[in-house]
Amino acid sequence: MYETVIGLEVHVELKTEGKLFCKCQNRFGDPLNTNCCEICTGLPGAIPVFNEECLIPAVKTGLILNCEISEKTRFDRKNYFYPDLPKGYQISQLYEPFAINGHIDLPVSGKTIRIREVHMEDDAAKLMYENGRTVVDYNRCGVPLVEIVTMPDFRTAEEVTEFMEILRKDLRAAGVTDGRLEQGSMRADINLSVRKEGESLGTRTETKNMASFKAIAKAIEEESKRQILLLEKGGRISQQTMRFDEETSRIEVMRTKENSDDYKYFPDPDLPYITISEEFSRKIRDMIPELPSRKEKRFMEDFGLRDEDSRVICRSDDVADVFEKAAKISGLNDVVASLLLTHIAASEELPTPEALSKTAVLLHSGKISAGMARTLLSDVAVSGEDPDEYVENRGFVRITDDGLIADAVDKVLSDSGNAKAVSDFKSGKDKVLGFLVGKVMRELKGKGDAEKVRSILLNKLVGDIDG
Ligand code: ADP
Ligand code: MG
Ligand code: ZN
């Protein structure tokens, strides 16, 4: 009877050469405190200069989230003190973010999540706690981020996970970010409240810096349980900032939630307005490839793929490309999809679209069996041989001739090595049938029609029992 209401603030590190306001390298994993200068460490008198290259992935993000791109945008100072913030303020965008009013569709849960805004800001340094000491790495200080702020449109952890997965896939495909959650390049703050249906929004808490899909789902579950329990006991939710401990799955209060007044925001006097022309946005739009989420949807609509299959096929551009071409050449969408899915589960080497489509035709016509198609496809993916020639050269066609199959069955049944299996079958252990089918198939070099092999074998075995 309670409903959970969730809004996200997702921080995404942009993949750029330099930092947001200086030319220091934006690189993960370098030796500590080697990519820093007077600007990103906030020495007195240093003047930040907006690094224009950051606008490309930022605007891409806005466009991918279907936002309106602001023609003018500027930065504000968010003032607070912490050891990871040597300037004493973060440069962010409160009053005039560069992108607003977007949305993103979630095909599985069938919802649309509204995006309130996307803004740019600089990252803080990284603090690491080691044996009672705190180590600060200023390499991350000044790294460009976009913060994506959604409306409180989520109701379940599944919806949040679906959103995060789409976001990560699409932003990676567009080259916005490397999207490595475990390295902190995407971090989500979860704003969560609960209410009884029909009531207005409840007071929310904010759980900070969630860096794995699993932790996000778990934290949502724990925090809504905690709030509901508290309300049921007659308590009140206070607006607090929470920390989620991944090891213990426990939620605890970090601090009482501050509001924006506490930060004494004001427009940064060092940084002028940035203009984003329509032409610039158009150019950026042209740089965005077909996004995985769109492609998945298109493959479902155009080729009738099931959503799970479409997702697996679209996981890699190369696989998606081979599928699309082979399906178009052969017109055998289902056969192509199932052949390709089995193939990529077992093998690294991709077949060409032509080889895949020819294999699909051979299978569909009944010339080869499904098992033979698997073998053929993995051979030609490596050798580059033409599937038709492969079949021709090796006489690689399905054996359907009853006489040939019966001969192979006889041979297997009379082989003394199989006597134990045969007598096991006769004493009721019909599980050994599969073993004997396998022997006959091997005798037929894998080319036997499996149905026929089975029925002829069974006939002979049962006939033997009767006789
Ligand atoms: P703040 O100024 O404290 O950051 P915002 O109004 O910017 O607060 O909202 C931050 C996030 O919290 C947004 O993602 C928004 O959707 C979400 N949010 C706001 N109110 C609620 C609520 N009552 N329950 C759940 N999420 C909420
Ligand atoms: Mg906020
Ligand atoms: Zn610097």
Side-chain angles (χ1 to χ4, degrees), residues 67-182:
C67 289
E68 297 160 25
I69 304 298
S70 314
E71 243 177 273
K72 284 184 138 202
T73 184
R74 70 171 177 185
F75 290 99
D76 305 297
R77 288 188 184 180
K78 178 180 182 179
N79 299 281
Y80 65 95
F81 172 77
Y82 207 64
D84 64 5
L85 191 74
K87 297 195 296 302
Y89 57 88
Q90 181 187 28
I91 306 181
S92 182
Q93 301 193 290
L94 177 72
Y95 299 110
E96 300 188 52
F98 75 93
I100 55 169
N101 296 339
H103 65 89
I104 196 165
D105 293 327
L106 307 183
V108 175
S109 41
K111 286 191 74 160
T112 296
I113 303 300
R114 291 169 297 161
I115 306 295
R116 195 180 77 195
E117 66 175 75
V118 187
H119 60 254
M120 288 181 273
E121 57 189 32
D122 58 357
D123 207 347
K126 192 165 151 196
L127 298 181
M128 288 160 287
Y129 307 96
E130 298 171 354
N131 327 312
R133 296 190 324 152
T134 303
V135 175
V136 192
D137 182 9
Y138 288 108
N139 284 354
R140 203 179 72 183
C141 229
V143 161
L145 297 176
V146 284
E147 177 174 336
I148 298 162
V149 186
T150 78
M151 299 294 271
D153 288 344
F154 300 96
R155 296 294 175 269
T156 65
E158 287 75 36
E159 292 169 9
V160 171
T161 310
E162 189 185 358
F163 175 86
M164 291 294 290
E165 271 169 358
I166 290 176
L167 195 62
R168 173 162 178 270
K169 254 191 291 200
D170 286 357
L171 294 183
R172 274 166 65 117
V176 166
T177 181
D178 60 22
R180 296 209 183 94
L181 276 77
E182 68 288 355

Side-chain angles (χ1 to χ4, degrees), residues 263-305:
Y263 291 115
K264 305 214 166 26
Y265 274 99
F266 64 89
D268 193 312
D270 288 339
L271 291 157
Y273 267 103
I274 299 164
T275 308
I276 309 175
S277 69
E278 260 185 56
E279 200 203 340
F280 180 83
S281 295
R282 222 179 2 257
K283 277 194 191 139
I284 300 295
R285 191 183 294 280
D286 290 341
M287 289 165 65
I288 301 174
E290 184 180 30
L291 298 170
S293 63
R294 307 243 163 91
K295 192 178 283 186
E296 276 172 34
K297 210 163 151 223
R298 183 166 65 81
F299 279 12
M300 284 156 65
E301 289 164 2
D302 292 1
F303 300 105
L305 292 188

Side-chain angles (χ1 to χ4, degrees), residues 297-349:
K297 210 163 151 223
R298 183 166 65 81
F299 279 12
M300 284 156 65
E301 289 164 2
D302 292 1
F303 300 105
L305 292 188
R306 293 185 304 146
D307 62 359
E308 175 57 26
D309 292 348
S310 192
R311 219 169 311 148
V312 176
I313 285 174
C314 292
R315 213 172 272 159
S316 134
D317 274 348
D318 294 338
V319 174
D321 199 48
V322 168
F323 167 79
E324 181 166 21
K325 289 187 173 136
K328 280 187 178 149
I329 302 170
S330 65
L332 300 169
N333 307 341
D334 292 348
V335 187
V336 166
S338 83
L339 272 175
L340 185 58
L341 285 164
T342 345
H343 180 80
I344 57 175
S347 162
E348 299 269 290
E349 212 76 46

